[in-house]
């Protein structure tokens, strides 16, 4: 990367800043009809909606029942957004979009302080241009908010340790470390505390700063963390005895060590997730990581430790989902930046990977068919063509300016990501719960019939109806054992007998799995399909 004057931005820096702003703008686009995806985005919108409806910001509720699988910080942030902007998908995604920008800012500033402004901007480009970083910066998931606080914790902790080792003022940064760790913990529990702690421990021991890490633990970081994280834990346990055992044992240790979460995956699960999700920076990451040496490059070793601890921990976990890798991506971006330069082979490798990726989406039958069925070809084909052309243009630009080459790469991926954003409303996931809920509401209104989930529940249906629905023969992620009010529990959790007694004696609208349609059409009265979408259907038990 070209050297830059410390006083004024170079042309390369201005170019990188421009494409970084372009990527941020794409992440904030929200076309009409961009509904929330089931099950996660809808869940993290419905819970804060119910908290507001109940006037209770202590106990998260899902479908009217206490839900203690996650701490409440994202719910609080989403509830605040709903208060300000209404119950919309855009408001639901606002906190994680802000968290994505916050992660970007932390990354750019940290790398710029180590290697200069152009380096910081380059790391930011890799974060925002990668599909996985882009998704983390716009999707209503706890993992996006966790990534911000996770990054803030490890960066503030490293800064505090480094300052103390140089006999500089460090107490204020230590306090900020505790604040950030509390934010991570209140977003996703012990993961937000244990993994940053492990990263700082390995890095401090490897760089002979272990004593300074110990001082950090017993600094204002600890009281700051406890002051912010303990109140909710204690109040929730007081309101619902047994919460702490469920939260810490079931949701942390059992989820990691057993198959209780029913999200298994092979040890290499996150390899394809990272390869595809970080494709724009993959070649540069491999080169940057391979060139990092512990003592010769302590900053590079810090990011390498950060990446591998997250990657390895979740690889050996018995519970796996792609967003779990989000907190590793800022470190990957910082490592990728270290390999940006005028060496053409890395740019050629990226161009080959981008061409293969685009060609697969355009020509492989398994991928081309759904693109054609959803009428996405007119959107995706030009974007993927631009990605291919700009990736190869970057190979030519690299000999002249690595900043210009990276800008070409960024614009190519911005075209692809923008096409994905514009095409999202055409994806069934974006419309499924809205269409099913609308059909159920309209049909139920004709007979004043209850809407019941039979062997099925969709968070997005409650979100669209702005009300919980009774469920029969279904448990899923619902937690009725924490509901102390017997009447509330019985109103929302039906037995099979109660469902069939109601079905035979009064009008009912039911949300069911599509595979159960035939069985319900053979009972008396037979089910009539009102609407179906994806794997679900809305049925009624009276003739039209």
């Amino acid at each position: 990367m070209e050297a830059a004057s410390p006083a004024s931005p170079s042309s390369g820096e201005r170019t990188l800043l421009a494409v970084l702003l372009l990527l941020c703008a794409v992440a904030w686009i929200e076309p009409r009809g961009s509904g929330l995806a089931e099950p996660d985005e809808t869940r993290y919108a419905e819970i804060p909606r119910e908290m507001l409806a109940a006037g209770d910001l202590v106990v998260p509720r899902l479908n009217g029942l206490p839900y203690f699988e996650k701490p409440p910080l994202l719910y609080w942030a989403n509830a605040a957004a709903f208060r300000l902007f209404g119950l919309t998908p855009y408001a639901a995604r606002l906190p994680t979009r802000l968290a994505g920008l916050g992660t970007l800012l932390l990354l750019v500033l940290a790398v710029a302080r180590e290697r200069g402004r152009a380096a910081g901007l380059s790391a930011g480009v890799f974060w925002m241009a990668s599909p996985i970083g882009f998704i983390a910066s716009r999707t209503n998931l706890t993992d996006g908010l966790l990534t911000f606080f996770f990054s803030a914790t490890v960066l503030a902790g490293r800064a505090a340790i480094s300052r103390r080792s140089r006999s500089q003022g460090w107490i204020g940064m230590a306090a900020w470390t505790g604040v950030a760790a509390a934010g991570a913990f209140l977003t996703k529990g012990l993961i937000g505390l244990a993994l940053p702690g492990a990263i700082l421990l390995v890095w401090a021991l490897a760089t002979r700063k272990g004593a300074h890490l110990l001082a950090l633990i017993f600094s204002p970081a600890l009281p700051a963390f406890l002051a912010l994280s303990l109140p909710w834990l204690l109040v929730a346990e007081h309101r619902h005895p047994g919460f702490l055992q469920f939260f810490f044992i079931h949701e942390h240790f059992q989820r990691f060590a057993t198959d209780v979460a029913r999200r298994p995956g092979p040890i290499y699960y996150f390899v394809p997730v990272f390869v595809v999700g970080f494709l724009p920076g993959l070649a540069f990451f491999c080169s940057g990581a391979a060139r990092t040496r512990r003592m010769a490059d302590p900053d590079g070793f810090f990011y390498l430790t950060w990446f591998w601890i997250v990657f390895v921990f979740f690889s050996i976990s018995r519970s796996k989902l792609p967003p779990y890798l989000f907190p590793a991506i800022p470190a990957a971006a910082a490592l990728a930046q270290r390999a940006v330069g005028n060496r053409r082979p890395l740019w050629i490798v990226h161009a080959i990977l981008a061409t293969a990726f685009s060609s697969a989406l355009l020509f492989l039958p398994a991928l081309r068919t759904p693109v054609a069925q959803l009428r996405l070809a007119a959107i995706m084909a030009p974007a993927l063509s631009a990605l291919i052309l700009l990736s190869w243009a970057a190979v030519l630009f690299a000999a002249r300016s690595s900043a210009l080459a990276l800008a070409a790469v960024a614009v190519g991926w911005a075209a692809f990501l923008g096409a994905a954003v514009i095409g999202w409303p055409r994806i069934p996931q974006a419309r499924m719960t809205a269409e099913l809920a609308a059909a159920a509401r309209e049909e139920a209104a004709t007979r004043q019939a209850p809407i019941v989930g039979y062997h099925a529940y969709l968070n997005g249906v409650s979100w669209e109806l702005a009300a919980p629905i009774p469920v029969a023969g279904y448990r899923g992620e619902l937690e009725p054992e924490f509901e102390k009010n017997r009447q509330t529990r019985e109103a929302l959790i039906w037995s099979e007998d109660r469902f069939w007694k109601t079905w035979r004696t009064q009008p009912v609208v039911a949300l069911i799995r599509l595979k159960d349609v035939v069985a319900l059409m053979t009972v008396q009265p037979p089910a009539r399909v009102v609407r179906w979408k994806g794997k679900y259907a809305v049925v009624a038990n009276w003739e039209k």
Side-chain angles (χ1 to χ4, degrees):
M1 189 65 68
E2 299 84 346
S5 165
S8 58
S10 68
S11 60
E13 291 167 1
R14 289 192 293 270
T15 299
L16 290 172
L17 178 60
V19 296
L20 192 53
L21 292 174
L22 170 65
L23 287 164
C24 290
V26 173
W28 281 71
I29 295 173
E30 187 93 350
R32 185 176 180 180
S34 296
L36 299 171
E38 188 74 33
D40 295 319
E41 279 201 302
T42 51
R43 182 190 309 118
Y44 299 131
E46 173 59 13
I47 291 172
R49 186 204 67 77
E50 294 193 28
M51 294 177 85
L52 288 175
D56 182 359
L57 295 179
V58 173
V59 179
R61 290 181 175 272
L62 179 62
N63 201 40
L65 302 167
Y67 181 84
F68 287 126
E69 289 199 9
K70 300 291 187 298
L73 190 54
L74 179 63
Y75 311 147
W76 291 342
N78 282 353
F82 293 155
R83 282 288 193 193
L84 291 172
F85 303 107
L87 296 171
T88 66
Y90 196 90
R93 292 174 176 136
L94 178 60
T96 45
R97 279 189 165 115
L98 293 173
L101 286 180
T103 303
L104 172 65
L105 184 60
L106 288 173
L107 176 63
V108 169
L109 291 176
V111 176
R113 190 174 294 112
E114 300 158 5
R115 298 172 63 86
R117 288 184 303 224
L121 292 169
S122 298
V125 167
F126 281 123
W127 161 253
M128 286 300 299
S130 66
I132 192 169
F134 185 83
I135 291 171
S137 299
R138 61 169 283 116
T139 311
N140 182 32
L141 297 172
T142 55
D143 305 274
L145 192 62
L146 171 67
T147 301
F148 168 70
F149 285 111
F150 191 109
S151 302
T153 302
V154 293
L155 291 171
R158 181 185 64 157
I161 293 169
S162 298
R163 290 183 182 186
R164 190 179 190 277
S165 70
R166 297 191 299 265
S167 300
Q168 296 176 338
W170 64 284
I171 295 298
M173 190 58 68
W176 279 117
T177 304
V179 171
F185 174 80
L186 287 172
T187 300
K188 207 160 184 181
L190 287 177
I191 290 296
L193 184 64
L195 292 189
I199 292 165
L200 292 173
L201 175 63
V202 172
W203 173 78
L205 293 177
T207 55
R208 300 174 183 173
K209 296 182 175 68
H212 303 292
L213 174 63
L214 187 63
L216 174 64
I217 295 173
F218 295 101
S219 73
L222 183 58
F225 171 81
L226 294 175
L228 292 173
S229 58
L230 275 182
W232 177 72
L233 292 172
L234 297 177
V235 174
E237 173 65 19
H238 176 74
R239 295 264 300 269
H240 291 272
F243 153 72
L244 289 178
Q245 190 277 339
F246 174 85
F247 181 73
F248 285 108
I249 303 302
H250 181 275
E251 285 303 306
H252 288 85
F253 298 105
Q254 290 182 355
R255 183 179 289 267
F256 171 78
T258 72
D259 292 326
V260 66
R262 298 186 299 277
R263 294 166 180 167
I267 193 73
Y268 56 83
Y269 178 94
F270 288 105
V271 173
V273 172
F274 180 68
V275 168
V276 176
F278 200 67
L279 200 62
L282 184 63
F284 303 93
F285 165 81
C286 293
S287 177
R291 291 158 53 189
T292 297
R293 298 294 180 267
R294 184 183 68 179
M295 298 309 295
D297 186 5
D299 291 327
F301 179 74
F302 168 75
Y303 292 114
L304 192 63
T305 301
W306 176 350
F307 174 83
W308 280 116
I309 283 182
V310 176
F311 190 92
V312 171
F313 176 86
F314 285 115
S315 293
I316 63 177
S317 170
R318 302 291 291 274
S319 176
K320 296 181 176 72
L321 287 174
Y324 291 177
L325 199 59
F326 286 1
I329 303 307
L335 289 166
Q337 177 281 318
R338 304 175 94 78
V340 170
N342 296 15
R343 296 185 303 156
R344 292 185 68 189
L346 292 180
W347 299 99
I348 292 173
V349 171
H350 167 265
I352 292 172
L353 291 173
T355 301
F357 172 78
S358 302
S359 300
L361 291 178
L362 288 171
F363 300 115
L364 283 181
L367 299 174
R368 185 181 68 226
T369 300
V371 168
Q373 290 174 341
L374 297 171
R375 295 177 288 113
L376 292 173
I379 300 172
M380 296 303 300
L384 292 170
S385 299
L387 174 58
I388 294 173
L389 291 174
L390 287 166
S391 296
W392 287 103
V395 176
L396 302 177
F397 295 155
R400 174 186 171 191
S401 166
S402 58
L404 187 59
L406 185 55
V409 168
V411 173
W413 283 99
F416 165 70
L417 296 169
V421 168
I422 293 171
W424 170 248
R426 300 187 182 186
I427 303 296
Q429 270 277 32
R431 309 187 309 271
M432 179 177 71
T433 54
E435 293 182 6
L436 290 174
R441 182 192 297 111
E442 182 178 352
E443 195 69 20
T446 63
R447 297 287 187 95
Q448 298 299 306
I451 300 172
V452 183
Y454 177 70
H455 290 182
Y457 172 72
L458 292 173
N459 309 301
V461 170
S462 290
W463 160 258
E464 296 289 345
L465 296 174
I469 64 171
V471 293
Y474 179 87
R475 171 64 184 262
E477 289 197 306
L478 302 181
E479 297 165 1
E481 66 272 17
F482 283 110
E483 178 52 61
K484 295 185 292 185
N485 188 304
R486 179 181 174 184
Q487 290 181 328
T488 300
R489 189 168 59 248
E490 291 180 350
L492 293 171
I493 304 297
W494 287 15
S495 66
E496 295 261 354
D497 288 343
R498 180 177 178 181
F499 173 81
W500 288 114
K501 180 179 179 180
T502 306
W503 180 270
R504 290 190 294 267
T505 58
Q506 69 178 73
V508 175
V509 173
L511 170 71
I512 65 172
R513 300 170 298 182
L514 201 59
K515 64 181 182 180
D516 292 332
V517 167
V518 173
L520 266 75
M521 293 177 72
T522 60
V523 300
Q524 291 297 325
R528 169 175 55 86
V529 176
V530 177
R531 177 83 180 186
W532 66 271
K533 195 76 174 178
K535 297 179 180 180
Y536 297 89
V538 171
V539 299
N541 65 344
W542 67 88
E543 295 183 1
K544 190 68 174 176

